Amino acid sequence: MKKLLGLLIVFVFVAGLYWVVIGRFNPSPPRASYAQPTDRAEAQRQDLDYLRFLPTLDRSFSADEAQAFEAGRLALLERDGRLSQAEFALGVSRLVALGGNGHTNVAPGARARLLNRIPLRMAWFADELHIVRSDAAHVSLLGAEVLAINGRSPRDWLIALKPYRGGRTGFARAGSLPLMESPEALASLHPESKADSLQLAVRLMDGSLAEAEIVAHPADPDAATPRSSVYLVPIAAAEVDPDGVAVLASDVTLPASLRGYGGSLHSEEMDDVLYLHLWSMSDDATGSVSKQLARLLQSRSQPWRAAIVDLRFNGGGDYTKIHAFAKALPEHVAPGGRIAVLVNNDTFSAALVTAAWLKYYGNGRTVMVGEALGDDSRFWAEGGVLRLPNSKLAINFATGYHDWETGCGDLVRCFTPNFWFGVAAGPLDPPAETGWRFSDYIEGRDTVLESAFAQLGVEKPRGE
């Protein structure tokens, strides 16, 4: 009996400790117990009824935002059955985005599967929008700069789409592309637009102006919806879009920053400078990302004269797997050598945390290069997913607060592991923004990587 009592006490202690440290930040959404809907109106009613749980799970909503959310939810309920699939998806997205938090959003992939989409893929370069992949019928448009979509500039569309994506405007830009490629989505904002095609005004690669009407493919619930950055890498894009055509010529050598896509990391040595692209803070087919990084540091008997850590297009993962590397890296860079951290609007969550560590542990030797990060240095994260039962829209909710600028000390709000891992790194955005120019991309060059070499005071190696 004493043994059993002792084991019970240990179990209760461990369970309680787990709840305090981790468990309280990962609540389980209520079970969605609804009968099979008989029509679209009932399906939308059920989804909107289940949606009411979001502000009770997500802690980023203020009282006023929660009140606005509920008023908007009831307004959508009054229109059930009369909402198109696109109107419903964007209506829910707008309500979720009221929290103003980058981690509190409708998952773009789940939403994209409900919408039609043209057979072109676009990408932002600096302040321009270009077509980087097409089907065989529209190869003449590859590389074109998109000047207008349905008579409105891409920047105007970005402003119109911002309310449907919580968080920073730059983060919304990075996630706007599936919506900007969907006639149904844009028609739900401006009903005068066609719901089955987009009218594009473009500047072709030869500098001439042209217009084209592009008919959309129907919504596909089984469609692959990868991060938009995949379309910058032809080999990776071919895996999800085998019939598409890339803008990059087959004889163009990819810059180091686009190599190794699909794995957690890619590293190279460039004239005694370490270049490391962390694509994800997660393990991959090669194994533990922590062990891969440890082996990288152990691979050199002498310190590098400088290091470049690329966190662009990195949506996050498990930041605890990266902490030991971020803390140790400055010891593996020669005295007087610097560390450049490359970031953009898609640097998010655990990637942002890694940027904070690299700056903090660099102790004045770290320089941030690129665009503003995808989130503020203070944000809500952790949480889980609330999945609507009929539309299958996946809604990410947040429960734990982070402050990587001044440190997080609130015992109630702050994510508990940050009492061990947290640092006060100060502002994280680069002091001056540098975007990747399309004219460089098309030649296999990386504007931001070249800027990093310049800021490190190191000559850029030939062929990179």
Side-chain angles (χ1 to χ4, degrees), residues 1-225:
M1 287 296 294
K2 287 183 178 180
K3 276 188 175 181
L4 287 175
L5 182 59
L7 288 172
L8 179 61
I9 291 172
V10 170
F11 174 80
V12 171
F13 174 78
V14 171
L17 183 63
Y18 174 81
W19 184 86
V20 169
V21 176
I22 298 292
R24 67 192 178 101
F25 297 102
N26 295 293
S28 297
R31 183 180 175 187
S33 300
Y34 298 95
Q36 184 69 26
T38 57
D39 55 25
R40 185 173 67 180
E42 186 175 4
Q44 291 180 354
R45 279 196 300 273
Q46 290 177 356
D47 278 6
L48 291 170
D49 179 71
Y50 191 58
L51 184 62
R52 76 185 191 277
F53 291 111
L54 180 63
T56 67
L57 295 165
D58 189 283
R59 299 180 66 195
S60 70
F61 280 83
S62 68
D64 288 344
E65 289 164 349
Q67 186 176 5
F69 173 92
E70 181 60 12
R73 189 183 71 86
L74 294 176
L76 281 183
L77 270 171
E78 293 179 357
R79 298 178 60 202
D80 61 43
R82 291 173 289 152
L83 294 167
S84 68
Q85 188 134 279
E87 289 171 331
F88 178 81
L90 267 72
V92 171
S93 298
R94 185 163 193 153
L95 293 181
V96 175
L98 287 173
N101 179 52
H103 282 78
T104 305
N105 274 301
V106 172
R111 183 177 58 200
R113 294 187 188 98
L114 298 180
L115 304 171
N116 65 5
R117 202 168 178 185
I118 61 172
L120 302 176
R121 295 295 170 264
M122 307 177 194
W124 289 100
F125 291 90
D127 287 329
E128 300 172 352
L129 184 65
H130 285 263
I131 296 169
V132 295
R133 195 169 184 85
S134 78
D135 62 353
H138 299 95
V139 292
S140 63
L141 296 176
L142 281 173
E145 179 188 354
V146 179
L147 303 176
I149 304 173
N150 292 351
R152 291 178 169 83
S153 72
R155 184 151 299 279
D156 285 343
W157 278 118
L158 180 59
I159 293 170
L161 290 168
K162 175 60 185 76
Y164 303 87
R165 183 81 162 161
R168 283 183 158 187
T169 298
F171 183 59
R173 185 183 86 154
S176 67
L177 296 172
L179 294 179
M180 295 177 75
E181 296 163 357
S182 171
E184 289 178 330
L186 301 190
S188 72
L189 273 64
H190 295 282
E192 72 276 10
S193 300
K194 291 184 179 180
D196 60 355
S197 66
L198 293 182
Q199 188 72 33
L200 301 183
V202 301
R203 179 179 290 113
L204 298 174
M205 291 281 285
D206 63 7
S208 62
L209 302 180
E211 293 189 357
E213 183 171 2
I214 312 298
V215 177
H217 291 170
D220 181 357
D222 300 316
T225 55

Side-chain angles (χ1 to χ4, degrees), residues 133 224 226-244 246 248 254 258-263 279 441:
R133 195 169 184 85
R227 293 172 62 87
S228 295
S229 56
V230 73
Y231 297 108
L232 297 176
V233 186
I235 294 176
E239 294 182 4
V240 295
D241 180 27
D243 298 324
L248 278 186
L254 289 178
L258 292 182
R259 299 171 196 164
Y261 195 100
W279 287 105
Y441 169 77

